[in-house]
Amino acid sequence: AGCVATPAPAAVSATPIHVNLLAINDFHGNLDPPANGARIFNPANPGKWDVVQAGGAPRLATAVKELSERPNTIMVAAGDLIGASPLLSSLFHDEPTIEALSKMGLAITSVGNHEFDEGWQEVKRMQDGGCHPVDGCKGPHPFEGAKFEYLAASTYLDNGETLFPPYTVREFDGEKVAFIGLTLEGTPDIITPAARAGISFKDEAETVNALVPQIRAQGIEAIVVLIHEGGYVGAGLDDCHGLSGAIAEIVPKFDDAVDVVVTGHTNGIYICTVDGKLVTSAGAYGTRLTDISMVIDPRTHDVIGKSARDIVITLDGFTEDA
């Protein structure tokens, strides 16, 4: 009798997978470089910030394009991309900003409190497209809506459904990463009664922790939280010993399965580790990007390394994308 050899299971490659996140927050429709420039940390002048001219959508687009030449790179954001915007964007109900961010390749964002300035129906229009209910369509073609995906894990409509999906999953070289997006629980306190009609906001940590088992049940161990809430630090970019504000209390409550937390709201500038999680914020107004690196073990699907660097979108460092 002949023996049939059982083939050995295919060995999973032990080569780690590198994933890059390009993160912004609090863009606020600054299609042109903001007049106040960007604060930068000067190691030679501790305790003080220098100011350089920076930002503008065309230069930010160039930076994203250059950095996206690396494989497994995705652009994400932590809310307040629109609202409280300069006239160039606000005059057209921030449609130009949605179109610009779509063109430069933004993929996923959480919703900030300012996205709700005109009510949840207007945020939905930003995602889905269509003409403004009062002013109609002003541009050369109907507004098509965002090419990127809004997430709203903690924002509930009166019918009990979340306004947008709570999380999304993206795959990089076969490794899946989950992105959870949410808005600060205190949003109703900082928007008008008309704007908060029909929606409610749940606790940030409880929301994230309830989603983690669902995500891990799919075999996903790499989890990124995009949260529109932030904190304050001292005068050093990597100095998070003095991290204060709401985010300093929220992050330690997150399940240990969370690897990276991209924050916003306070317009803070920081990169640090809190409770084993990498926590970042890229200032405001499109003047900088946080370039986040995650290393994933393909055998365990766990994040085994993470780091980040701050990139200031200086006027002389980047050309304008036509």
Side-chain angles (χ1 to χ4, degrees):
C3 291
V4 179
T6 306
V12 175
S13 168
T15 306
I17 305 299
H18 291 258
V19 177
N20 306 296
L21 315 178
L22 304 177
I24 64 168
N25 52 276
D26 299 273
F27 186 74
H28 288 293
N30 278 258
L31 298 168
D32 284 333
N36 293 337
R39 293 183 301 151
I40 58 168
F41 177 60
N42 183 352
N45 194 8
K48 295 284 170 64
W49 294 87
D50 292 344
V51 175
V52 296
Q53 294 306 301
R59 285 185 173 85
L60 184 60
T62 294
V64 170
K65 184 183 286 184
E66 290 175 2
L67 292 162
S68 295
E69 289 174 1
R70 302 170 301 182
N72 300 336
T73 298
I74 185 170
M75 184 183 181
V76 299
D80 272 11
L81 302 179
I82 58 171
S85 306
L87 200 61
L88 180 61
S89 182
S90 63
L91 187 64
F92 305 99
H93 299 287
D94 281 318
E95 292 173 14
T97 293
I98 299 297
E99 291 173 345
L101 292 169
S102 295
K103 273 190 168 179
M104 74 175 71
L106 179 62
I108 308 164
T109 186
S110 56
V111 186
N113 53 286
H114 274 288
E115 267 86 0
F116 291 105
D117 284 350
E118 295 184 48
W120 67 264
Q121 295 91 343
E122 180 68 352
V123 198
K124 203 93 169 77
R125 188 177 75 87
M126 293 295 105
Q127 178 76 90
D128 300 339
C131 300
H132 189 270
V134 176
D135 293 335
C137 280
K138 296 214 171 198
H141 53 77
F143 176 58
E144 295 178 358
K147 299 287 190 290
F148 50 88
E149 188 173 1
Y150 276 112
L151 300 176
S154 59
T155 305
Y156 285 82
L157 299 170
D158 286 348
N159 66 5
E161 296 178 1
T162 55
L163 175 61
F164 296 112
Y167 69 93
T168 188
V169 176
R170 300 298 169 96
E171 195 167 309
F172 306 92
D173 282 348
E175 289 303 312
K176 292 179 178 177
V177 178
F179 295 86
I180 302 172
L182 65 165
T183 314
L184 71 154
E185 186 183 9
T187 297
D189 302 330
I190 50 177
I191 59 177
T192 65
R196 64 176 179 255
I199 49 171
S200 58
F201 298 84
K202 302 275 179 76
D203 181 273
E204 303 96 340
E206 288 175 10
T207 298
V208 167
N209 293 347
L211 290 169
V212 166
Q214 295 180 34
I215 291 167
R216 297 184 77 181
Q218 301 170 52
I220 301 167
E221 296 293 339
I223 301 176
V224 176
V225 172
L226 310 173
I227 179 171
H228 190 72
E229 179 60 288
Y232 307 91
V233 291
L237 178 67
D238 300 305
D239 169 23
C240 275
H241 303 297
L243 182 67
S244 62
I247 203 69
E249 298 172 13
I250 293 169
V251 170
K253 295 177 186 173
F254 284 158
D255 191 295
D256 286 343
V258 172
D259 299 292
V260 175
V261 184
V262 178
T263 75
H265 189 51
T266 56
N267 299 359
I269 303 165
Y270 47 83
I271 293 168
C272 52
T273 301
V274 177
D275 193 42
K277 302 161 184 69
L278 181 65
V279 181
T280 72
S281 180
Y285 313 131
T287 56
R288 59 209 324 133
L289 264 176
T290 310
D291 183 22
I292 301 168
S293 170
M294 295 167 56
V295 183
I296 301 175
D297 184 334
R299 294 167 299 188
T300 63
H301 313 299
D302 260 329
V303 174
I304 55 172
K306 55 205 173 192
S307 61
R309 62 184 178 131
D310 178 59
I311 298 175
V312 181
I313 311 301
T314 56
L315 300 196
D316 54 1
F318 296 92
T319 57
E320 291 193 313
D321 184 297

